[in-house]
Amino acid sequence: MQDPWLTAKELFNTGHYWECHEALEPLWLKSIGLDKHFYAGVILLAASLHKAHLMNSPRGGRRNYAKALTHLALIPDQYLGVEVRILEANVHRALSNPEPKPKL
């Protein structure tokens, strides 16, 4: 069985945002501290892209993005191998333009 974080990362990186959200939820539920905020932020980033592009709801995407930033503001610039500030900026751009897809 593959590590849930690696699975979620692969799903996010291939544009399977809802599936990424689902893969991360068990990690988020059992985590604490910075890990909990990090996973919540990534879940919300994935949800923002899902809403904006797959559900055709740019407003919903922006709302989830804003919620993600409140969690990720607590996270160092690099966390669990992710360049967090770069990810935030790439998702922000992707909310307006789906190509290229942001990567974790």
Side-chain angles (χ1 to χ4, degrees), residues 17-87:
Y17 303 118
W18 180 256
E19 294 82 355
C20 170
H21 171 287
E22 293 295 302
L24 279 177
E25 194 164 321
L27 286 174
W28 170 71
L29 287 171
K30 69 180 182 179
S31 63
I32 58 171
L34 286 181
D35 283 351
K36 191 158 196 93
H37 286 287
F38 177 73
Y39 293 134
V42 174
I43 286 169
L44 286 162
L45 290 178
S48 74
L49 292 166
H50 177 78
K51 282 193 178 259
H53 298 302
L54 299 170
M55 295 180 69
N56 198 27
S57 174
R59 183 171 180 230
R62 288 190 304 272
R63 281 198 328 245
N64 277 332
Y65 178 77
K67 290 177 192 175
L69 294 182
T70 64
H71 289 281
L72 296 175
L74 304 171
I75 305 300
D77 291 348
Q78 187 176 60
Y79 198 78
L80 295 181
V82 174
E83 295 289 340
V84 177
R85 306 292 85 83
I86 293 171
L87 174 63

